[in-house]
Amino acid sequence: GENVEQHPSTLSVQEGDSAVIKCTYSDSASNYFPWYKQELGKGPQLIIDIRSNVGEKKDQRIAVTLNKTAKHFSLHITETQPEDSAVYFCAKRSGNQFYFGTGTSLTVIP
Amino acid sequence: DAGVIQSPRHEVTEMGQEVTLRCKPISGHDYLFWYRQTMMRGLELLIYFNNNVPIDDSGMPEDRFSAKMPNASFSTLKIQPSEPRDSAVYFCASTPGFGEQYFGPGTRLTVT
């Protein structure tokens, strides 16, 4: 189906530690997987994305991995900082539509 | 570019009133999406347009909701009559073809 499962729903880490959020999907047509960060009172902001022909992509402290065979992808944030605290959403594109995970509320404890 | 622009940012209205939400997509983006976000249901796609034409409105909850895109730089989402259960944050997003999707800041709607 079109569901995207996201885990965990909440995550607390100490400043400087790493955070990992995982998402799984079930269809084979999806070929684009973006991640969004949503701060309180704001719209989701695209922070990183990966296409199906790539297994890993990194942008400074943020990385995304994709296992298309197993149909799961993950967001990795290293050296977390308090300003990383937000809700993170994974998504997949199937055709022209985007389907979103249920979100992970990340708290980075100073 | 200023990004996706939405207005108003906040709307408080009484049950039964008509509400109109507005969106200006990023210039050059040919897809426009309307989403609703609530704690219970997360992000729900309501409708999306391609080149100003509605493609899929299966997410529109009921006939009280309608959306239009009269030109490439403007779209409206209308609720008439509004009900308390319509209270949510409504987001507009735009995409250039099969590119990245960018969200507006949202309109927080409260129906009393």
Side-chain angles (χ1 to χ4, degrees):
Chain A
E2 302 295 2
N3 286 345
V4 179
E5 293 197 6
Q6 183 172 345
H7 300 280
S9 57
T10 60
L11 179 61
S12 291
V13 298
Q14 290 291 137
E15 181 177 358
D17 289 350
S18 296
V20 180
I21 303 170
K22 298 181 180 180
C23 288
T24 60
Y25 62 101
S26 55
D27 72 299
S28 301
S30 298
N31 56 13
Y32 173 68
F33 305 87
W35 284 89
Y36 292 86
K37 175 183 180 182
Q38 187 175 22
E39 297 175 311
L40 200 61
K42 297 183 178 180
Q45 284 196 305
L46 179 69
I47 55 172
I48 195 168
D49 55 14
I50 191 167
R51 299 183 189 273
S52 57
N53 58 345
V54 175
E56 183 174 0
K57 184 176 177 181
K58 191 172 181 180
D59 182 3
Q60 299 183 341
R61 298 186 296 107
I62 296 173
V64 57
T65 59
L66 170 66
N67 183 326
K68 227 187 163 209
T69 303
K71 296 188 175 66
H72 64 73
F73 55 112
S74 301
L75 177 72
H76 304 251
I77 306 174
T78 58
E79 301 172 27
T80 53
Q81 302 168 2
E83 51 266 37
D84 294 330
S85 296
V87 178
Y88 291 81
F89 292 94
C90 63
K92 70 178 179 93
R93 183 172 60 206
S94 183
N96 295 326
Q97 291 197 38
F98 289 79
Y99 299 88
F100 291 83
T102 49
T104 296
S105 178
L106 172 65
T107 301
V108 179
I109 304 165
Chain B
D1 201 310
V4 176
I5 299 172
Q6 290 187 247
S7 65
R9 293 296 313 278
H10 302 273
E11 177 80 38
V12 180
T13 191
E14 292 184 347
M15 183 173 64
Q17 297 298 306
E18 177 180 296
V19 175
T20 300
L21 311 182
R22 297 172 176 80
C23 175
K24 177 177 169 35
I26 293 172
S27 177
H29 285 195
D30 53 354
Y31 284 86
L32 184 142
F33 302 77
W34 281 101
Y35 292 92
R36 178 171 67 176
Q37 187 178 42
T38 61
M39 288 293 293
M40 291 297 294
R41 301 172 70 91
L43 264 170
E44 300 175 275
L45 176 66
L46 300 177
I47 185 171
Y48 77 95
F49 296 82
N50 177 220
N51 291 323
N52 315 336
V53 175
I55 303 299
D56 186 345
D57 65 354
S58 60
M60 296 284 261
E62 46 197 275
D63 292 344
R64 298 184 298 105
F65 286 69
S66 62
K68 294 182 180 179
M69 192 165 185
N71 57 62
S73 58
F74 184 65
S75 177
T76 60
L77 178 68
K78 187 176 292 186
I79 308 172
Q80 166 62 19
S82 58
E83 296 183 3
R85 61 193 167 119
D86 301 331
S87 297
V89 181
Y90 291 81
F91 289 104
C92 176
S94 70
T95 304
F98 286 96
E100 298 84 3
Q101 185 170 78
Y102 294 92
F103 282 78
T107 295
R108 180 173 293 278
L109 173 65
T110 302
V111 183
T112 60

